[in-house]
Amino acid sequence: MKKIKYLFVILLGVFSFYFSDQAILFVENKSPIMKQVKALQVETIEPVNAIIEDDTIIPGKNGSKLNERESYLKMNEFGKFNETFLVYDYIKPEISLYDHLDKVIVKSNRIDEVALIVESEEHATYLAKENIKYTKVIKEKNEIKSETGEYINGNFDEEAFHKLNGYLKKNKLNNKICLINRSNRESCEELKYFLVNPSVKLNHTNLAEKKKTIEGGNFIYLESNLSISELKLIITQIKYRNLTINYLSELIKE
């Protein structure tokens, strides 16, 4: 008899919660704010799969879908309908970069952006002065001098890699990106960091020929023997092609 009582109490609790939730949803759906959210009919954006070829990968793109209830709750708290408070759920691609971290990223899916990767302090100083975003390969913590740039651990030696990596993590500067032939690959794979190989490598010798090949999605590696005048030519070429310079970490995002 006691067991039946307990079962009855449990069932009563379950049904109470269920009907309570249904009542809340009914009230929410009658709200003018919720009606305005539903009236938007925001199109669901389907995700785009990453492209894999041999051991390389080009990241895909997340899709998105409007979360009507979360959007309503934010707006209701605010007190009125406001599209600024729309909340989206992101849809992961079936073939995702995050499931293939052993592959080497060679290009971005962003056809209107490029990333500049530098090794020279002179280049970094110039780009920082011009407020141009860049990604710098570093080996020591004292090479971190600007808020305009982001940094990649360029230590090939395992011990040196982990020492700098600890500092980057502690100071929240670790973007979990490694550069092929610059970073300690074994450590990067163990840590499940992104492996990147620049699409275009520019130096004093090949600049005249290679700068013409710059296109959206490129990771452009600037070698130290480039002069500031040559760096300016590269930036001019990028602007001529109506491309935006962004951080490498942004270009590899899905």
Side-chain angles (χ1 to χ4, degrees), residues 31-48:
S31 163
I33 294 176
M34 179 61 96
K35 287 179 180 179
Q36 285 177 282
V37 171
K38 288 180 176 291
L40 287 173
Q41 297 183 331
V42 178
E43 183 181 355
T44 297
I45 299 174
E46 296 299 327
V48 177

Side-chain angles (χ1 to χ4, degrees), residues 8 34-35 38 51 82-83 90-91 109 112-113 116 133 163 166 181 185-187 189 206 209 218-220 243 248:
F8 178 76
M34 179 61 96
K35 287 179 180 179
K38 288 180 176 291
I51 299 171
N82 188 322
E83 290 192 25
Y90 290 96
I91 308 168
N109 59 45
D112 56 350
E113 296 182 351
L116 295 180
K133 295 175 181 178
K163 182 180 178 182
N181 298 324
R185 180 161 181 170
E186 186 177 332
S187 298
E189 289 179 342
N206 70 11
E209 176 191 353
N218 281 166
F219 312 140
I220 306 169
L243 300 172
L248 178 60

Side-chain angles (χ1 to χ4, degrees), residues 57-185:
I57 189 168
I58 298 174
K61 291 183 181 179
N62 284 323
S64 63
K65 182 179 181 180
L66 178 64
N67 187 319
E68 293 179 348
R69 185 157 193 261
E70 289 299 321
S71 298
Y72 160 76
L73 291 173
K74 276 201 167 187
M75 292 181 198
N76 192 52
E77 188 177 338
F78 179 66
K80 63 179 181 179
F81 177 84
N82 188 322
E83 290 192 25
T84 306
F85 295 99
L86 290 175
V87 177
Y88 293 88
D89 292 328
Y90 290 96
I91 308 168
K92 182 182 173 184
E94 287 184 16
I95 304 174
S96 170
L97 167 66
Y98 294 90
D99 297 325
H100 298 277
L101 293 176
D102 60 318
K103 304 295 182 184
V104 179
I105 308 168
V106 292
K107 199 173 181 181
S108 171
N109 59 45
R110 302 194 184 191
I111 59 173
D112 56 350
E113 296 182 351
V114 296
L116 295 180
I117 306 170
V118 303
E119 56 183 30
S120 159
E121 184 59 40
E122 185 182 18
H123 293 163
T125 300
Y126 173 79
L127 293 170
K129 182 181 175 183
E130 297 296 317
N131 291 314
I132 296 172
K133 295 175 181 178
Y134 64 90
T135 302
K136 189 174 190 299
V137 182
I138 62 171
K139 291 188 175 183
E140 300 286 344
K141 64 182 181 181
N142 59 13
E143 295 180 63
I144 301 171
K145 296 179 180 178
S146 170
E147 294 181 1
T148 311
E150 67 173 9
Y151 301 93
I152 291 179
N153 190 334
N155 283 297
F156 205 73
D157 176 77
E158 184 178 359
E159 185 178 344
F161 178 90
H162 284 289
K163 182 180 178 182
L164 179 58
N165 202 54
Y167 177 84
L168 294 173
K169 286 174 68 177
K170 181 180 177 182
N171 290 275
K172 299 181 180 179
L173 296 170
N174 185 12
N175 49 35
K176 299 184 178 181
I177 297 175
C178 289
L179 213 59
I180 297 297
N181 298 324
R182 289 290 186 278
S183 311
N184 183 278
R185 180 161 181 170

Side-chain angles (χ1 to χ4, degrees), residues 186-204:
E186 186 177 332
S187 298
C188 296
E189 289 179 342
E190 286 176 2
L191 293 166
K192 298 189 182 301
Y193 285 0
F194 301 112
L195 303 173
V196 172
N197 196 16
S199 329
V200 180
K201 298 175 184 178
L202 300 178
N203 55 52
H204 178 73

